[in-house]
Amino acid sequence: MTIKEVCKKYDITQDTLRYYERVGVIPEVSRTKGGIRDYTEQDIKWVENAVCMRSAGVPVEMLIEYVKLFQEGDSTITARRDLLMDARAEVQKNLDKYQATMDRLNYKISRYEEAVKTGVLTWDAENIKKD
Amino acid sequence: MTIKEVCKKYDITQDTLRYYERVGVIPEVSRTKGGIRDYTEQDIKWVENAVCMRSAGVPVEMLIEYVKLFQEGDSTITARRDLLMDARAEVQKNLDKYQATMDRLNYKISRYEEAVKTGVLTWDAENIKKD
DNA sequence: ATATACCTTGGAGTTAACTCCAAGTCAATA
DNA sequence: TATTGACTTGGAGTTAACTCCAAGGTATAT
């Protein structure tokens, strides 16, 4: 698979994909004789993983560390597990924050829907913040 | 309430709080005769809102726009509602991504837990990716 | 074979959101 | 009242994660 196809598949730019490879967010990708990237299934799995992790804010630094450990072989299995658990804790923390923000936005929007109908913006006694 | 107290309450730095005020993420904060910030309940509500929204990745630019509209008065109520709905859609999209990443991490970690016990890292037929 | 489009690399530039700094002012305490 | 610590401003610097660029190689269509 060419870089163009992979980029389209995951909706990222070629620059981003080359950058990921350059810094080690994904292992080195296989090439044609001419030196042009030709992604294997394996390569694509790594890309998919990177895109997913990045979309949840897992730092590039952490993905690099994971790939490095992976390439060192089975002796790093516990280290990799620990890294994944750290990442998970971080993602969960953010998930909770995002949920809290959704709750706040839903409340505010419900007040605004009301205001658009009645022409008056009101808040519960608890929330005398008027914003 | 002093800037120090507000920062402690929301676990942010004074620089960040002054920056928020400077660029308009929150409205101008009230001052003592000496010109020192003295946050009112209202001011603090704005800070709380900003911190919450930022923690879910709502861009500074969007918060600035909201404050601007708010200060223009009731004629901007529908515009503010629309802005909030845009923000909500964005937060929801990210929430979904975070959840997808949690699922992936949970699966990987379960495989690693197994590997730590048995010494062998295995994957389902579907997931022959070995990472 | 030659033009066209796409690919390569290394390195420089950009963006958002802080974060730090210098020079000076304010306030609480000995 | 003098000193100490916290506060003020405007502006410069930093960081993470891309994003762009130039010079050149590769591959496909005429």
Side-chain angles (χ1 to χ4, degrees):
Chain A
M1 211 174 192
T2 68
I3 192 170
K4 189 173 221 177
E5 292 165 335
V6 177
C7 287
K8 185 159 185 206
K9 187 166 160 67
Y10 294 106
D11 193 28
I12 52 177
T13 69
Q14 299 188 14
D15 272 321
T16 298
L17 208 37
R18 290 196 202 96
Y19 162 72
Y20 282 172
E21 184 178 351
R22 178 160 28 148
V23 302
V25 162
I26 59 174
E28 299 226 331
V29 169
S30 40
R31 310 297 172 107
T32 64
K33 308 101 225 127
I36 286 174
R37 288 176 181 80
D38 183 25
Y39 293 78
T40 64
E41 274 305 306
Q42 274 302 319
D43 294 329
I44 292 169
K45 291 284 185 190
W46 278 106
V47 172
E48 176 171 319
N49 190 63
V51 169
C52 179
M53 294 298 150
R54 285 296 304 128
S55 79
V58 176
V60 159
E61 198 54 54
M62 206 171 231
L63 302 178
I64 292 170
E65 177 68 8
Y66 183 83
V67 169
K68 212 185 101 252
L69 288 172
F70 178 82
Q71 290 175 331
E72 285 174 25
D74 284 359
S75 68
T76 65
I77 282 180
T78 42
R80 274 182 271 162
R81 182 206 52 188
D82 292 348
L83 195 59
L84 292 174
M85 289 177 75
D86 287 353
R88 177 172 65 179
E90 205 58 37
V91 172
Q92 183 64 57
K93 215 178 67 189
N94 285 322
L95 198 55
D96 294 345
K97 283 185 187 163
Y98 276 57
Q99 191 54 65
T101 302
M102 275 304 287
D103 293 348
R104 177 179 284 257
L105 280 168
N106 282 326
Y107 174 70
K108 283 171 82 106
I109 289 167
S110 75
R111 295 287 100 189
Y112 269 100
E113 299 282 24
E114 198 63 23
V116 169
K117 259 186 283 189
T118 65
V120 192
L121 189 54
T122 58
W123 305 98
D124 292 352
E126 271 298 286
N127 298 282
I128 1 161
K129 68 192 149 187
K130 295 193 151 228
D131 60 341
Chain B
M1 211 174 191
T2 68
I3 192 169
K4 188 174 221 174
E5 291 165 335
V6 177
C7 286
K8 186 160 183 204
K9 187 167 162 65
Y10 294 106
D11 193 30
I12 51 177
T13 69
Q14 298 188 15
D15 272 320
T16 297
L17 208 36
R18 291 196 201 97
Y19 161 72
Y20 282 173
E21 184 178 352
R22 177 159 29 145
V23 301
V25 163
I26 59 174
E28 298 227 330
V29 169
S30 41
R31 312 295 173 109
T32 63
K33 308 101 224 124
I36 287 173
R37 288 177 181 79
D38 183 25
Y39 293 78
T40 64
E41 274 304 307
Q42 273 302 318
D43 295 330
I44 292 169
K45 291 282 185 191
W46 278 105
V47 172
E48 178 171 317
N49 189 63
V51 169
C52 180
M53 294 297 150
R54 284 298 304 128
S55 79
V58 176
V60 159
E61 198 54 52
M62 203 171 232
L63 302 177
I64 291 171
E65 177 68 8
Y66 183 82
V67 169
K68 212 185 101 251
L69 288 172
F70 178 83
Q71 290 175 330
E72 284 173 26
D74 285 359
S75 67
T76 65
I77 282 180
T78 42
R80 273 183 270 161
R81 182 207 51 186
D82 293 347
L83 195 60
L84 292 174
M85 289 176 75
D86 288 353
R88 177 173 63 178
E90 204 58 36
V91 172
Q92 183 64 55
K93 215 177 66 187
N94 285 322
L95 198 53
D96 294 344
K97 283 184 187 164
Y98 276 58
Q99 191 54 64
T101 303
M102 276 303 287
D103 293 347
R104 178 179 282 256
L105 281 168
N106 281 327
Y107 174 70
K108 283 171 81 108
I109 289 168
S110 76
R111 297 286 99 186
Y112 270 99
E113 299 282 24
E114 199 63 22
V116 169
K117 260 186 285 190
T118 65
V120 192
L121 189 51
T122 59
W123 306 97
D124 291 352
E126 271 299 285
N127 299 279
I128 0 159
K129 67 194 155 192
K130 293 194 151 225
D131 60 340

